[in-house]
Amino acid sequence: MKEFKAIAIAAMLTVAAPAAVAVADCDDIYRNPVIPNSAPDPTVIRAKDGYFYLYATEDVRNVPIYRSKDLVEWVFLGTAFTDDSRPKWNSKGGIWAPDINYINGKYVLYYSKSEWGGILTCGIGVATAERPEGPFTDHGSLFISKEIGVVNSIDQFYIEDEGHKYLFWGSFCGIYGIELSADGLSVMPGAKPRQVAGTFMEGTYIHKHDGYYYLFGSQGTCCEGNRSTYRITYGRSKSLFGPYVDKEGRPLLENNYDVLIHGDERVAGTGHNAEFVTDDNDNDWILYHGFKRSDAGAGRLVWLDRVEWIDGWPHVAGNHPSEASEKPVFNTISLADPTIFFDNGTYYLYGTSLADGFKVYTSKDLKTWEGPAGVSDGLALKRGDAFGTQGFWAPQVFKRGGTYYMYYTANEHLAVAEAQSPLGPFRQKKLSMVPAKVKEIDPFVFFDTDGKAYLYHVRLMDGNRIYVAELNKDLKSMKENTARECISAEKGWEDTADAAWKVCEGPTVVKIDSTYYLFYSCNDFRNKDYAVGYATAKSPLGPWVKHKNPIISRQLIGANGTGHGELFKDNDGDWAYVFHTHRSNDRVVPRKAAIVKLRLGKRGFELVEGSFRYLSK
């Protein structure tokens, strides 16, 4: 058992409300509550800047917003609305139970507008913002109770499933779901509410885990101080709209349920949980509110606990709030297809991460990283500034003259954007892809000692095959007559699944003396045997001779899915390879960025034993 150190308490004051900083005993231990101010019905999101943002019912008027790096230490930022911008419909109602989401490039905040006893006049509205801290612009009500036909329409939850958008909501008159429009700002025309649970709960949250949908809610009384009986309930289903059942197979539509968290001698009214958050160690965490019995007048504080999965069902230790526990871990950098660019004493790390662009992190020593540091909310390139609407993969950055170039994949085609800083913004004057007749991904530009530039890339033709072509002087198009296949996957370690569509991808090339080295990855990236090999040639166009065995693999590293990175020399002149691995032994995504050192000897490149480590902030 860890010995607790002296408790240090930090507090910050603002005009609107006190800033909340969690009480912690030592670096890896936290103590509950994590927000010692009243912030009922919390909802949380991890934004593009890497921070968590939490919103709550307006015990602080106009919906309080808190920010944290680790779910433990929270700082009050302000409010989502002002008195002028707050929703005007249902003027007597307060703003309850916000639900934050990121939809189509905007932060979308669903909320309930209600007053006590207003079960027919209450309803659900929606507001949007460009940034998680706001300002939010209200778009009015989606529906009110008497219009939608669901009494006490509050406590909404948004979820996307199989390409569709849905909203679930309700209180002690039943829990319902309905499909939303493509932008999430209105009900889908013709859609009707469908009931999924009985009259025992409110505070809906649905979590997908290992093929099941888990419906969480809160049963009991929410707001009576130490007399509050709220407790968090759950059931599960194979389908989003049910039927949901408890552990004994009894339907939630008939008011059956199991209990995840209930009150104890320290905490009353534990309920209305936020979205689950998964940390870097693949642990799930739940935020929820409750009254501290020793100071119930402080309101509904925010508590944090770890959720374990046992035999397919969620479990919190003791089924009640913890007093102290190990902190969640959020320092690993989640990037796939990583690349490192060195410029003026700083390393810049890019990779595949978001649907709308590329994050960038910075470091002076390859050990401690900061960011995301891109100029566009942490992004070095964002959707809309350059070619592409989806599938932003595998960037590479280099500098020629005073201009920085980013080659990347989008919409399964190649593109190149320019910037005046490695932090971006990388843009195109005219949004366009590199001209091509087939789908192409995974670019890598190599500059030879004779001044010629070559674009190594993957063509999707009866498999993922690595090609090379000389670039024109503008660096934006290929000399197609020089294009030729370099390598493709063969039997053995390159194709352990004997796949019909074989994969060879992620090229990176260096020249040492008179030999060219082409590093590549084989197997589907979801395969635990995804691994890195290399080939050599006497010309940048080949022919290439493969090294017999992989140089980076799960057998050598001890992690699954090792591959798709870049070979480079660090500031000390040592060879290093940055790459990604699977999230864990059980999960592929989000993938984690890692690095190893390599050594070039008489037999070629070899892995430096003990050099493997993950990149962290």
Side-chain angles (χ1 to χ4, degrees), residues 583-614:
R583 191 71 186 177
S584 66
N585 288 336
D586 301 318
R587 290 177 59 201
V588 175
V589 295
R591 287 163 284 177
K592 300 191 290 187
I595 197 169
V596 293
K597 287 190 174 183
L598 301 179
R599 181 187 299 114
L600 181 59
K602 293 181 179 180
R603 297 181 181 179
F605 276 101
E606 59 183 10
L607 182 69
V608 176
E609 187 175 352
S611 65
F612 167 71
R613 60 181 173 83
Y614 285 109

Side-chain angles (χ1 to χ4, degrees), residues 248-283:
E248 296 182 13
R250 301 174 302 175
L252 271 62
L253 274 168
E254 297 178 7
N255 295 333
N256 299 292
Y257 56 86
D258 292 298
V259 175
L260 182 68
I261 303 175
H262 56 70
D264 59 13
E265 69 281 359
R266 297 182 302 108
V267 188
T270 54
H272 204 124
N273 59 281
E275 299 82 350
F276 285 13
V277 177
T278 304
D279 72 8
D280 292 346
N281 288 341
D282 217 28
N283 295 320

